[in-house]
Amino acid sequence: MRNVVYFRNVAQTKRTLKGKKTTIHEIAKALNTTASTVSRALNNNPRISEETRKKVIKMARKLGYEPNSMAASLRRGHSKIIGIIVPYADRIFFSSVIRGIEEEVKKSGYNVIICQSYEKLENEIEDVNALMSAQVAGIIISISRETNKFEHLQKVMNKDKPLVLFDRTTEAINTSSVAIDDFQGAYTSVKHLVENGYKRIAFFSGNKKVSIFRERFRGYQAAMRDSNLPILEEYVIEVPSEVEEGKAVTKKLMSLQSPPDAICSCSDFSALGAMKWLTENNYKVPEEVGIVGFGNDPFTQYLEPTMTSVDQKSKDMGKTAAQVFLEQLEGKNSIARKVLLNPELVTRASSQKLSIGKSEV
Amino acid sequence: MRNVVYFRNVAQTKRTLKGKKTTIHEIAKALNTTASTVSRALNNNPRISEETRKKVIKMARKLGYEPNSMAASLRRGHSKIIGIIVPYADRIFFSSVIRGIEEEVKKSGYNVIICQSYEKLENEIEDVNALMSAQVAGIIISISRETNKFEHLQKVMNKDKPLVLFDRTTEAINTSSVAIDDFQGAYTSVKHLVENGYKRIAFFSGNKKVSIFRERFRGYQAAMRDSNLPILEEYVIEVPSEVEEGKAVTKKLMSLQSPPDAICSCSDFSALGAMKWLTENNYKVPEEVGIVGFGNDPFTQYLEPTMTSVDQKSKDMGKTAAQVFLEQLEGKNSIARKVLLNPELVTRASSQKLSIGKSEV
DNA sequence: TAAAATTGCGCAATCGTTTACGCATAAATG
DNA sequence: CATTTATGCGTAAACGATTGCGCAATTTTA
């Protein structure tokens, strides 16, 4: 089952010019000075004359000097590398956050090293160890679903290294975090549905053990209450974030005596399942049933009808996490920050039975 | 425009236990031996007795020893970190490859550090420098569209560090690469369309300056020729990978005197544009026009109709790139390998006007 | 049983920087 | 003009591991 069509082996140019990598010592020797002067010149230390600095830089270039940041890091006690741990690096949400972080920290000369926990606590712990061993400047992490112990994270803090949680946060350790306001996300979704004339609004919940899902559920409850709508027990269902699950649940929901006329979901995928089942069974979306997803996965904009969804501001989240991290790193404040970002409801066709073209009631 | 709802500042526990990180020297002292013995014991050096090894490991654990891999790397001359450079880390294709690489190299104790070139040669060069400075073991890269000089990559090779290209490769430097067989991908797509009864097959090409697109075009040509179908000049169009572009081009195509009855696209997005325009204008897909995309982006499976597309084997590609890299690293062969993976045509509804339910003509 | 090989471990150099100290010389201050 | 203060740079000790070399003690081989 090797997926290889053909290998082609090409003789490779013998690498000859072994060129002994040049260090600051060579530069010093060439300039008849010492390594300390060179180091200082290269690091813009004010205690060096402009003249010397110029000469050093010139010679460095001439000799093709390339700094060894590992040696520097060893001496300094930490590197300019930031560890990131996510459950999966190829989920659009996480890869987008990663991109946001990378963009932001690069400005300050940092790089990021990526680890995946695959939702396993065990992997997460190993990753933390590997990162600490690599002497990262600190860690930015979205904890795995499984994580219920936090010694490994506490250890990071004990070493005085910045630790920033994002999206999947916890109150169990006292450190900075960045997340979206999940309550607000769900609240806005429901309000939007109400404004568009839907009244019997079902809720696809997530695992209530996870705080972000509890928050979203609270948002749903509050919005329903504020809209003077009843919260029916049979309308609130825990649905895994899968298309098929969404289909199955929708089928059940629609066979109730009094089926819902809208679905507010905690996941784009279960929302998609709902939409698929409905259209396959000749229900009109959004005319008969309105749908709002959560996550604003790219696919939502390509569906027919296009799907309204809550955007989680992933890139912003990355950027903000990076900022909080760097702030912590500069050591300005040893105070834990809890940042909540505003989610954005991206309204599309699936939730607007009224006034197609207009925006609100 | 700061997207912050509220900050909450929480007093942070004063970190007291400064605990002087323990090194192999402390372990040695505690055991009344030397650092070399400890180092050897910890690294499974055969020249150490099992008894001593046991004692060392026990003491290491007791003292909460954590290795400083930077010190080790400095001594060794390279770290156990692999640099990855991609145009964008949040594109599903790249993030998927990254995941594949990470999964594979982790087994050998390596970590990956991610850089983004944003399709700029300038960034790519800077990234290479940063990675070299960080003393990475080597680099795995998908070059930017802009990259037309290769000194920065040659430099990596000159330092005897493995360099592996993936997807976006080049013949300009003599190093290993992993890509899919783009010719085959397009060829199979067209053959599939022919087998499903389509004859007037248009081709959405990419930028012909890029080799992967040239290959795909060759695949299209060959398949048409092998099927005894004419290649009409007006059916071959260079279309940027955008939904709107796909729409516009399709509109033009369908207003030809003799419009195509199928579209083979080099991009899922332009293919989606085609499909959107067609359904919006009351053409039936796949009955009147068949469509095949390229990339197998996740959204293709959620469309209505579901879209046939060529899967680029991104995770496999990552895995393979990692394997080739590690092989190169072990230094077994200083021979450049050019690996081509087989793409996989994922057949769905958009390309099968015949025999819905059956598989072939 | 003498010679050779193996085992187990210590010594000390090394990887390439950074940085606390110290010491001149020059400039600023009173 | 005598003190400070500032400027510019060298000395040498880290940072924490790895490893070639050497030397006993033990085991194997002939």
Side-chain angles (χ1 to χ4, degrees):
Chain A
M1 259 299 285
R2 286 281 292 149
N3 198 352
V4 172
V5 176
Y6 77 96
F7 279 11
R8 186 146 55 89
N9 287 333
V10 183
Q12 205 159 19
T13 60
K14 269 279 176 287
R15 298 155 185 139
T16 41
L17 57 167
K18 269 287 181 194
K20 289 311 292 169
K21 50 182 104 182
T22 66
T23 72
I24 53 173
H25 288 102
E26 338 289 345
I27 303 181
K29 199 166 296 172
L31 254 35
N32 204 28
T33 173
T34 69
S36 24
T37 301
V38 175
S39 172
R40 282 191 265 253
L42 259 22
N43 288 299
N44 293 324
N45 185 310
R47 298 286 289 273
I48 230 78
S49 73
E50 267 318 304
E51 191 189 9
T52 310
R53 193 188 312 284
K54 288 263 173 61
K55 273 198 287 190
V56 167
I57 291 177
K58 194 169 168 187
M59 183 57 75
R61 202 181 320 257
K62 181 175 167 194
L63 298 183
Y65 169 71
E66 284 171 5
N68 183 329
S69 59
M70 244 170 21
S73 302
L74 173 60
R75 179 59 227 260
R76 257 189 284 107
H78 62 265
S79 70
K80 296 209 90 177
I81 298 177
I82 299 170
I84 300 182
I85 304 176
V86 292
Y88 298 98
D90 63 344
R91 287 239 216 109
I92 182 66
F93 173 75
F94 292 119
S95 63
S96 180
V97 173
I98 291 172
R99 171 169 172 178
I101 296 175
E102 207 269 347
E103 269 182 56
E104 188 68 17
V105 301
K106 176 178 266 181
K107 296 178 195 166
S108 308
Y110 284 85
N111 283 108
V112 301
I113 165 168
I114 309 292
C115 295
Q116 307 183 77
S117 67
Y118 304 103
E119 302 283 12
K120 295 283 171 214
L121 172 58
E122 186 189 337
N123 292 332
E124 198 174 286
I125 293 175
E126 260 185 35
D127 287 341
V128 168
N129 286 334
L131 291 175
M132 296 304 283
S133 172
Q135 310 301 117
V136 294
I139 290 179
I140 301 179
I141 181 177
S142 188
I143 61 182
S144 89
R145 285 204 196 292
E146 223 183 77
T147 302
N148 53 1
K149 304 200 193 101
F150 302 93
E151 289 93 13
H152 57 304
L153 299 182
Q154 192 63 53
K155 205 165 66 178
V156 178
M157 298 174 60
N158 289 344
K159 296 241 158 144
D160 262 331
K161 305 220 175 200
L163 173 71
V164 176
L165 314 179
F166 72 88
D167 192 50
R168 314 255 197 93
T169 66
T170 174
E171 294 295 323
I173 50 174
N174 181 26
T175 191
S176 294
S177 65
V178 181
I180 63 159
D181 190 332
D182 287 285
F183 175 94
Q184 194 62 41
Y187 188 93
T188 309
S189 297
V190 173
K191 273 293 191 183
H192 164 78
L193 285 168
V194 173
E195 282 165 3
N196 276 270
Y198 301 98
K199 291 189 181 343
R200 302 193 309 283
I201 304 172
F203 185 69
F204 284 9
S205 159
N207 183 340
K208 294 254 181 51
K209 284 182 196 156
V210 180
S211 69
I212 61 177
F213 293 125
R214 279 200 306 274
E215 282 300 297
R216 291 180 196 175
F217 181 50
R218 279 189 47 238
Y220 165 76
Q221 290 177 304
M224 293 297 275
R225 216 166 21 236
D226 291 359
S227 309
N228 295 313
L229 292 174
I231 297 173
L232 303 182
E233 202 176 317
E234 64 269 32
Y235 278 10
V236 176
I237 312 180
E238 192 169 314
V239 188
S241 177
E242 302 287 343
V243 178
E244 290 310 315
E245 304 275 354
K247 280 191 181 183
V249 168
T250 305
K251 181 177 177 184
K252 276 191 206 154
L253 269 178
M254 298 311 289
S255 63
L256 288 176
Q257 283 211 334
S258 158
D261 66 354
I263 294 172
C264 174
S265 174
C266 278
S267 144
D268 282 337
F269 294 94
S270 52
L272 171 60
M275 210 160 92
K276 285 230 171 203
W277 189 88
L278 289 167
T279 52
E280 282 165 11
N281 290 272
N282 299 316
Y283 288 88
K284 295 272 182 212
V285 177
E287 291 81 356
E288 295 174 72
V289 184
I291 291 186
V292 177
F294 208 111
N296 194 29
D297 194 289
F299 76 74
T300 57
Q301 63 189 300
Y302 303 131
L303 300 174
E304 191 52 47
T306 56
M307 191 168 93
T308 296
S309 185
V310 177
D311 189 285
Q312 296 184 88
K313 298 289 177 183
S314 47
K315 240 180 104 181
D316 276 3
M317 193 177 292
K319 182 173 176 166
T320 309
Q323 288 168 345
V324 171
F325 181 93
L326 291 175
E327 194 177 280
Q328 214 90 340
L329 194 60
E330 329 272 75
K332 295 303 168 204
N333 58 338
S334 62
I335 302 175
R337 269 199 172 185
K338 307 285 184 182
V339 182
L340 278 193
L341 300 179
N342 246 335
E344 178 189 359
L345 183 69
V346 180
T347 56
R348 299 200 184 92
S350 70
S351 61
Q352 317 206 40
K353 70 171 161 183
L354 304 174
S355 59
I356 291 177
K358 295 188 209 167
S359 64
E360 281 194 24
V361 178
Chain B
M1 258 299 287
R2 285 281 292 147
N3 197 353
V4 172
V5 176
Y6 76 95
F7 279 11
R8 184 147 56 89
N9 287 333
V10 183
Q12 205 159 16
T13 58
K14 270 278 174 289
R15 296 155 185 141
T16 42
L17 57 165
K18 271 285 179 191
K20 289 310 295 166
K21 49 183 100 179
T22 66
T23 73
I24 54 173
H25 289 100
E26 340 287 346
I27 302 180
K29 201 168 296 173
L31 253 36
N32 205 28
T33 174
T34 68
S36 18
T37 301
V38 175
S39 171
R40 284 192 262 252
L42 259 22
N43 288 300
N44 294 322
N45 185 311
R47 297 286 290 274
I48 232 76
S49 73
E50 267 318 303
E51 191 189 10
T52 310
R53 193 189 310 284
K54 287 265 172 60
K55 273 198 286 191
V56 167
I57 290 177
K58 194 169 168 186
M59 181 58 75
R61 204 182 318 262
K62 181 175 167 194
L63 297 184
Y65 169 71
E66 284 171 6
N68 182 329
S69 57
M70 248 173 16
S73 303
L74 174 59
R75 180 60 227 264
R76 256 189 285 107
H78 61 264
S79 70
K80 296 208 89 177
I81 299 178
I82 298 170
I84 300 181
I85 305 177
V86 292
Y88 298 98
D90 64 344
R91 286 239 216 109
I92 182 65
F93 173 73
F94 292 119
S95 63
S96 181
V97 174
I98 291 173
R99 171 169 173 177
I101 296 175
E102 207 270 345
E103 269 183 56
E104 188 67 17
V105 300
K106 176 179 265 181
K107 296 178 194 164
S108 308
Y110 283 84
N111 282 107
V112 300
I113 166 169
I114 309 293
C115 295
Q116 307 182 76
S117 66
Y118 305 105
E119 302 283 11
K120 294 283 171 213
L121 171 58
E122 185 189 337
N123 292 331
E124 197 174 285
I125 294 176
E126 260 185 35
D127 287 340
V128 168
N129 285 334
L131 291 175
M132 295 304 284
S133 173
Q135 309 301 118
V136 294
I139 292 180
I140 300 178
I141 182 176
S142 188
I143 62 182
S144 89
R145 286 203 194 294
E146 224 184 76
T147 303
N148 53 1
K149 304 200 193 101
F150 301 94
E151 288 93 13
H152 57 303
L153 298 182
Q154 193 62 52
K155 205 164 68 180
V156 177
M157 298 174 62
N158 289 344
K159 295 240 158 145
D160 262 331
K161 305 219 173 197
L163 173 70
V164 176
L165 314 180
F166 72 89
D167 192 48
R168 313 252 200 97
T169 66
T170 174
E171 294 294 323
I173 50 175
N174 181 26
T175 190
S176 293
S177 64
V178 181
I180 64 160
D181 190 333
D182 287 284
F183 175 95
Q184 194 61 40
Y187 187 94
T188 310
S189 297
V190 173
K191 273 294 191 181
H192 163 78
L193 285 168
V194 173
E195 282 166 5
N196 276 269
Y198 301 98
K199 290 188 182 341
R200 301 193 310 283
I201 304 172
F203 185 69
F204 284 9
S205 159
N207 183 342
K208 294 255 181 56
K209 284 183 196 154
V210 181
S211 70
I212 60 177
F213 293 124
R214 279 200 307 272
E215 281 301 296
R216 292 181 198 174
F217 180 50
R218 278 189 48 237
Y220 165 76
Q221 289 176 305
M224 292 296 277
R225 216 167 21 234
D226 291 359
S227 309
N228 294 314
L229 292 174
I231 298 173
L232 304 182
E233 203 175 314
E234 64 269 32
Y235 278 9
V236 176
I237 313 181
E238 192 169 313
V239 189
S241 177
E242 302 287 342
V243 177
E244 291 310 316
E245 304 276 354
K247 281 191 181 182
V249 168
T250 306
K251 182 177 175 184
K252 275 190 208 157
L253 270 178
M254 298 311 288
S255 63
L256 288 176
Q257 282 211 335
S258 158
D261 66 354
I263 295 172
C264 173
S265 174
C266 277
S267 145
D268 282 337
F269 294 94
S270 51
L272 171 59
M275 210 160 92
K276 285 230 170 204
W277 188 89
L278 289 168
T279 52
E280 280 164 13
N281 289 272
N282 300 315
Y283 287 88
K284 296 272 180 213
V285 177
E287 291 80 356
E288 296 174 70
V289 184
I291 292 188
V292 177
F294 208 111
N296 196 27
D297 195 290
F299 75 75
T300 56
Q301 64 189 298
Y302 303 133
L303 300 174
E304 190 52 47
T306 57
M307 191 167 95
T308 296
S309 185
V310 177
D311 189 285
Q312 296 185 86
K313 299 291 179 181
S314 46
K315 241 180 102 181
D316 275 3
M317 195 179 291
K319 182 172 177 169
T320 308
Q323 288 169 344
V324 171
F325 181 94
L326 292 174
E327 192 178 281
Q328 213 89 341
L329 195 59
E330 330 270 76
K332 296 304 169 205
N333 58 335
S334 61
I335 302 176
R337 268 197 175 188
K338 308 283 183 183
V339 182
L340 278 192
L341 300 179
N342 247 336
E344 179 189 359
L345 183 70
V346 181
T347 56
R348 300 202 184 90
S350 70
S351 60
Q352 319 206 39
K353 67 173 162 184
L354 303 175
S355 61
I356 292 178
K358 295 188 208 163
S359 63
E360 282 193 23
V361 179

